[in-house]
Amino acid sequence: MANAKVVAGATRLKQTIRVLNDHWMLTEATWTDSVRRRFEDRHLTPLSSAVESAVIGLQKLADVLDQVRRDCSDRSESL
């Protein structure tokens, strides 16, 4: 079982970027100039891929933390 706090953080991060993207799409109806497109290209697009990478990293971290917890638990039982 993955570390619950790390997984919860990853889930919250995914939800937050989803909300940000939803709100960003709402601006499209009233803001359609080159500044908007440049902002999206420079900030939002890289942010989305960075969040995806971070979530993958957090999931791997949770797995490692669980393995460490199991290894330490096994060791303490054998002492």
Side-chain angles (χ1 to χ4, degrees):
M1 178 171 97
N3 187 291
K5 289 184 180 184
V6 176
V7 171
T11 300
R12 185 167 181 197
L13 188 56
K14 286 190 296 190
Q15 291 171 341
T16 302
I17 196 70
R18 213 172 291 134
V19 168
L20 175 63
N21 285 330
D22 289 347
H23 282 89
W24 178 250
M25 295 309 290
L26 293 174
T27 67
E28 193 171 30
T30 57
W31 186 22
T32 59
D33 64 2
S34 63
V35 176
R36 181 187 190 283
R37 285 188 297 278
R38 189 170 58 239
F39 182 85
E40 184 172 6
D41 292 343
R42 289 184 180 176
H43 301 289
L44 294 181
T45 300
L47 182 61
S48 292
S49 61
V51 167
E52 287 177 34
S53 296
V55 167
I56 291 168
L58 287 167
Q59 290 168 338
K60 289 179 181 179
L61 176 62
D63 292 340
V64 169
L65 290 172
D66 283 339
Q67 184 62 46
V68 167
R69 184 175 289 118
R70 283 191 300 273
D71 290 351
C72 289
S73 177
D74 292 346
R75 250 182 144 186
S76 67
E77 291 173 2
S78 64
L79 294 178

